[in-house]
Amino acid sequence: MPRPAAVRAPAVVRFDNLTLGYNRHPAVHHLRGEVAAGSLLAVVGPNGAGKSTLLKGIAGELRPLQGRIELHGVHRRQIAYLTQQATLDISFPIIVHDFVAMGLWREMGAFAGLNRARRQRIAQAIDDVGLSGLETRPIGSLSGGQLQRALFARVMLQDAPLVLLDEPYGAIDAASVRDLAALVRQWHTQGRTVIAVLHDLEHVRQEYPETLLLAREVIARGDTAGVLSDTNLEHARAIAEGRGDDPHAAVCRSDREGA
């Protein structure tokens, strides 16, 4: 008997001729396609390729210049979005416990208190990322790796079906990368959809089955081994440096958002 065809997971995010940018200048343009529920997708590309811009669009922080982003089976309030550390104000006087507890904000609202069950969840998340004993430390006193662990703990408390990670391993120690990558694998095993902007291509090859290669346009999308070919990577670099055939390159070179 013939083997039954594999059932394709439904789309959780769909891009319909999507263009995103700043001050009417495209940073990423004419994206089409979808991300299936339960995907573990890496987004890679040269600096200025539009990677962080794409996450901002999915999260609803940036409105499309053209086209649209459709979410299926998930509301934007159900998205966990881990931004780059550089966007955080670590001088704000907040301790680790309270910083992590912010992951419960959408669940609790502005006025609900932390009952015993929620305090236990916060303690468990802090323990899961290896920060037990540092609950009363100000976040400004943490190392880069410790701060990233606290951010991951906050994401864990959101219990979101769609997780967006923007450079989750930037400027942190190898032990933190290893531990946090294990958490990402766990989220994937649980059926969550994870979309991560990453620079370390070897890490992508080892951990991410699917990859989207951007250079303000889609260079390639699919199986990671095929996407990260020398030919595709050189094409992306050429477009980023203005040597390719991207009609928006001249405009975008002066408007790169840094990711």
Side-chain angles (χ1 to χ4, degrees), residues 149-171:
R149 289 170 185 264
L151 284 165
F152 265 69
R154 192 166 71 177
V155 167
M156 290 172 66
L157 287 177
Q158 291 181 251
D159 195 23
L162 175 57
V163 180
L164 309 178
L165 305 174
D166 194 355
E167 287 298 334
Y169 311 124

Side-chain angles (χ1 to χ4, degrees), residues 95-102 118-137 142 146 149-157 180 183:
I95 62 174
V96 169
H97 177 278
D98 296 345
F99 180 76
V100 172
M102 291 171 65
R118 288 181 178 132
R119 290 186 182 279
Q120 288 177 338
R121 288 169 59 193
I122 294 167
Q124 185 63 57
I126 290 173
D127 183 62
D128 287 346
V129 299
L131 292 181
S132 291
L134 302 182
E135 290 86 350
T136 60
R137 286 270 299 273
L142 300 179
Q146 289 170 335
R149 289 170 185 264
L151 284 165
F152 265 69
R154 192 166 71 177
V155 167
M156 290 172 66
L157 287 177
L180 297 179
L183 286 175

Side-chain angles (χ1 to χ4, degrees), residues 8-15 32-36 39 41 210 221:
R8 185 174 182 179
V12 67
V13 182
R14 181 172 285 115
F15 308 118
R32 293 181 174 86
E34 60 186 40
V35 180
S39 294
L41 174 68
E210 295 180 76
R221 162 73 195 279

Side-chain angles (χ1 to χ4, degrees), residues 3-259:
R3 297 177 62 181
V7 177
R8 185 174 182 179
V12 67
V13 182
R14 181 172 285 115
F15 308 118
D16 180 11
N17 195 31
L18 174 68
T19 296
L20 295 164
Y22 307 89
N23 299 321
R24 293 178 294 180
H25 292 158
V28 57
H29 57 86
H30 302 307
L31 265 66
R32 293 181 174 86
E34 60 186 40
V35 180
S39 294
L40 181 57
L41 174 68
V43 181
V44 304
N47 288 338
K51 304 182 298 295
S52 295
T53 299
L54 180 59
L55 292 196
K56 289 177 183 177
I58 296 171
E61 293 191 358
L62 191 63
R63 296 184 62 180
L65 298 177
Q66 180 181 337
R68 58 184 177 175
I69 300 173
E70 300 175 356
L71 299 178
H72 299 274
V74 61
H75 298 285
R76 282 213 160 87
R77 65 177 180 273
Q78 295 175 296
I79 297 175
Y81 179 27
L82 190 152
T83 60
Q84 295 181 26
Q85 281 194 24
T87 65
L88 297 174
D89 180 8
I90 61 173
S91 67
F92 187 78
I94 187 171
I95 62 174
V96 169
H97 177 278
D98 296 345
F99 180 76
V100 172
M102 291 171 65
L104 295 174
W105 175 262
R106 289 174 180 168
E107 173 185 321
M108 293 170 48
F111 303 106
L114 288 176
N115 57 27
R116 181 177 179 180
R118 288 181 178 132
R119 290 186 182 279
Q120 288 177 338
R121 288 169 59 193
I122 294 167
Q124 185 63 57
I126 290 173
D127 183 62
D128 287 346
V129 299
L131 292 181
S132 291
L134 302 182
E135 290 86 350
T136 60
R137 286 270 299 273
I139 62 167
S141 69
L142 300 179
S143 68
Q146 289 170 335
L147 179 58
Q148 201 68 357
R149 289 170 185 264
L151 284 165
F152 265 69
R154 192 166 71 177
V155 167
M156 290 172 66
L157 287 177
Q158 291 181 251
D159 195 23
L162 175 57
V163 180
L164 309 178
L165 305 174
D166 194 355
E167 287 298 334
Y169 311 124
I172 65 174
D173 58 281
S176 293
V177 172
R178 182 187 63 245
D179 293 345
L180 297 179
L183 286 175
V184 172
R185 289 195 298 272
Q186 179 180 324
W187 294 340
H188 180 232
T189 300
Q190 293 168 345
R192 305 180 198 276
T193 305
V194 180
I195 305 174
V197 167
L198 298 159
H199 275 299
D200 185 339
L201 298 186
E202 286 309 307
H203 179 84
V204 172
R205 289 185 175 101
Q206 294 172 13
E207 298 284 345
Y208 287 77
E210 295 180 76
T211 297
L212 169 62
L213 175 59
L214 284 180
R216 295 186 295 274
E217 63 182 24
V218 176
I219 303 302
R221 162 73 195 279
D223 176 74
T224 294
V227 169
L228 297 183
S229 68
D230 291 342
T231 299
N232 287 338
L233 292 173
E234 174 55 29
H235 186 193
R237 283 192 293 268
I239 289 178
E241 295 168 5
R243 298 183 283 114
D245 54 5
D246 179 0
H248 298 271
V251 173
C252 292
R253 277 198 301 273
S254 63
D255 292 281
R256 292 178 181 175
E257 81 283 10

